[in-house]
Amino acid sequence: MSFVWGADNVAFLRKRHEALSAHPLFAGMDYSEDRQQIAQWAPLIMQNRPKGEPIAVTRSLMGTDVNFGALTRLLFSYLSGTKGCVLHTRHDVQDIRRDEDGQWRLKVRDLRENTDRIVRSRFVFIGGGGAALTLLQKTGIPQAQGVGGFPVSGQFLRCTNKALIARHRAKVYGKASVGAPPMSVPHLDTRMIDGKPALLFGPYAGFSTRFLKQGSLMDLPLSVRPGNIGPMLAVARDNWPLTKYLIQQVMQSQEDRIAALRDFIPDAKAEDWELVVAGQRVQIIKQDPKKGGVLQFGTEVIASDDGSVAALLGASPGASTAAPIMLNVLQKCFAAKMPEWTDRLKAMVPSFGQKLANNPALCQQQFDRTTKILGLTL
Ligand SMILES: Cc1cc2nc3c(=O)[nH]c(=O)nc-3n(C[C@H](O)[C@H](O)[C@H](O)COP(=O)(O)OP(=O)(O)OC[C@H]3O[C@@H](n4cnc5c(N)ncnc54)[C@H](O)[C@@H]3O)c2cc1C
């Protein structure tokens, strides 16, 4: 659901609904300014809300919550039992170099045994969350030059009151503040974690020089190179609204956070909520011929020309973006194999190679298929 308050925002949401509901990907999206209707969809946001304030909501029943940690464990427990797949956890990749024969040489430390070994490979995919930038820089490929990272941490308020959690079953998104990165849209979110419902509100942004939640404070300073210092300084110069937004966010007290929550739950009580640190995002900074450097809020695969190494950088390097990103990596790095692999890929992803946005019938067919496989009820 999208939820807005104030006359201007209501006018905006009405127009957005008109534009989007005509599109196959958003077909069936509901719109309402009716307080009783909204109270049925999301009772907590209407309880004790001041009368007279214009509000509006759009709602889509499609989709579901996915626990990507659980999904990853399932996938790897299957893969670990198949021929040719070996999984090593608690291993740290410390260096990546290219040998003269073109193969990649990785220095890997076994953190349990405290021993090092070398792994050689014709292809390397770097998926290290925020730390992917550090590993990409070690490869020395020209595409990595001029790329920098800007870490933003995310915090959420987690509800501790079971009765409150039970009364909300929706993902309700507001509108982002001016200057906020696009993924900072505040939301009141039901998440199912190991079969139990949880209620979260956020994110609140923070600043840390770490590239991973448990990373080192030296991650950001050590990523500065002669090639990316120019773009990084240009981004610092040109992004005053973002800097201002981050300063405001970092300076927030618990009372300020609860005040922001009350935009969504008017009678929220501080004692029902605790602050949790969710993780780090490392936004990409890239060279720009006009501005010197730009801050990108998206997610991007950076690959060598020969496709022998690819790294996934940016705001959302995994989870819901993972499947299209991997298809993109296959196309970028294994172009010669694609004719041979396409039938198999189509069996896994029947819409592979087609745009659902241009094909309403196929789009509906795919929604029906996934809804059935996932056992969802609308
Ligand atoms: C506040 C917040 C909210 C989010 N909400 C959503 C959402 O609603 N939906 C969504 O789809 N996504 C969301 N995301 C994004 C999503 O969480 C990430 O895209 C995803 O977790 C990235 O997964 P990953 O495995 O690529 O990276 P990570 O989860 O960051 O894991 C990286 C792993 O690489 C390891 N690693 C790093 N360096 C090395 C090395 N040198 N050697 C060996 N291992 C290494 C680390 O130890 C770590 O285990 C959110 C992110 C944040 C911060």
Side-chain angles (χ1 to χ4, degrees):
M1 288 168 62
S2 285
F3 168 55
V4 294
W5 53 94
D8 288 352
N9 289 336
V10 169
F12 161 79
L13 196 65
R14 198 183 303 128
K15 267 176 129 177
R16 196 176 75 161
H17 174 254
E18 276 163 24
L20 286 182
S21 53
H23 192 282
L25 293 180
F26 297 91
M29 184 196 261
D30 299 317
Y31 175 84
S32 183
E33 293 175 28
D34 179 64
R35 300 174 83 91
Q36 274 184 343
Q37 174 67 84
I38 299 171
Q40 269 183 15
W41 289 344
L44 290 187
I45 65 174
M46 293 310 295
Q47 191 168 289
N48 292 328
R49 181 162 292 278
K51 300 227 166 15
E53 181 189 36
I55 52 169
V57 160
T58 53
R59 180 180 79 144
S60 172
L61 288 178
M62 278 185 288
T64 185
D65 193 53
V66 177
N67 179 341
F68 281 90
L71 189 62
T72 306
R73 269 176 224 112
L74 277 174
L75 205 59
F76 275 93
S77 73
Y78 163 75
L79 284 174
S80 301
T82 60
K83 200 170 156 249
C85 179
V86 183
L87 173 69
H88 294 287
T89 56
R90 304 227 14 94
H91 278 63
D92 192 51
V93 179
Q94 304 208 313
D95 203 7
I96 307 182
R97 294 279 154 101
R98 193 153 214 185
D99 280 344
E100 278 178 7
D101 63 1
Q103 287 212 29
W104 292 99
R105 170 184 287 265
L106 280 69
K107 185 177 153 210
V108 183
R109 173 155 301 168
D110 179 336
L111 297 174
R112 271 193 208 97
E113 305 287 327
N114 216 9
T115 51
D116 290 348
R117 65 198 176 91
I118 298 295
V119 177
R120 279 179 23 104
S121 178
R122 286 193 300 276
F123 174 72
V124 177
F125 173 74
I126 303 172
L133 174 63
T134 314
L135 290 169
L136 174 68
Q137 288 179 327
K138 291 184 195 292
T139 65
I141 60 170
Q143 289 78 1
Q145 275 175 24
V147 181
F150 179 77
V152 180
S153 58
Q155 299 169 331
F156 279 88
L157 285 177
R158 180 165 58 195
C159 185
T160 50
N161 180 333
K162 281 192 181 145
L164 219 53
I165 299 171
R167 293 190 56 215
H168 185 81
R169 276 292 180 279
K171 297 181 175 291
V172 180
Y173 283 74
K175 263 182 92 184
S177 327
V178 175
M183 78 295 296
S184 305
V185 178
H187 52 289
L188 182 66
D189 196 355
T190 299
R191 294 200 174 209
M192 295 300 284
I193 301 170
D194 299 329
K196 290 198 192 103
L199 183 57
L200 296 153
F201 178 75
Y204 301 94
F207 178 73
S208 149
T209 53
R210 292 184 167 92
F211 279 176
L212 291 171
K213 197 171 159 185
Q214 271 93 22
S216 153
L217 287 171
M218 292 306 289
D219 286 340
L220 178 63
L222 289 177
S223 73
V224 179
R225 299 276 189 285
N228 64 16
I229 189 159
M232 288 174 88
L233 290 174
V235 163
R237 181 194 63 210
D238 295 340
N239 283 274
W240 176 237
L242 174 67
T243 313
K244 207 171 129 197
Y245 165 81
L246 285 176
I247 293 171
Q248 280 168 350
Q249 289 275 305
V250 173
M251 301 292 286
Q252 278 191 112
S253 61
Q254 185 70 350
E255 285 81 53
D256 296 329
R257 292 191 194 99
I258 295 291
L261 170 64
R262 287 196 182 121
D263 284 337
F264 284 72
I265 305 182
D267 55 6
K269 293 188 186 67
E271 64 264 26
D272 289 336
W273 299 83
E274 62 185 9
L275 190 67
V276 289
V277 177
Q280 288 287 108
R281 294 181 191 271
V282 179
Q283 315 292 151
I284 310 168
I285 293 176
K286 283 184 99 173
Q287 266 168 341
D288 180 83
K290 282 199 191 121
K291 295 182 177 168
V294 284
L295 183 61
Q296 294 190 338
F297 291 109
T299 306
E300 193 174 326
V301 174
I302 296 190
S304 59
D305 278 339
D306 66 354
S308 65
V309 63
L312 182 53
L313 305 183
S316 194
S320 50
T321 57
I325 284 170
M326 281 306 131
L327 292 172
N328 179 6
V329 169
L330 292 182
Q331 281 161 318
K332 248 183 170 165
C333 298
F334 296 92
K337 291 269 187 191
M338 285 313 275
E340 193 187 317
W341 290 352
T342 301
D343 283 351
R344 189 77 193 272
L345 284 168
K346 279 195 172 155
M348 294 161 77
V349 186
S351 60
F352 178 65
Q354 300 184 61
K355 262 197 178 307
L356 292 178
N358 301 339
N359 191 339
L362 181 68
C363 183
Q364 190 57 48
Q365 214 181 331
Q366 292 312 304
F367 273 130
D368 292 346
R369 177 178 176 267
T370 46
T371 300
K372 195 169 160 218
I373 292 174
L374 294 173
L376 304 179
T377 41
L378 295 187

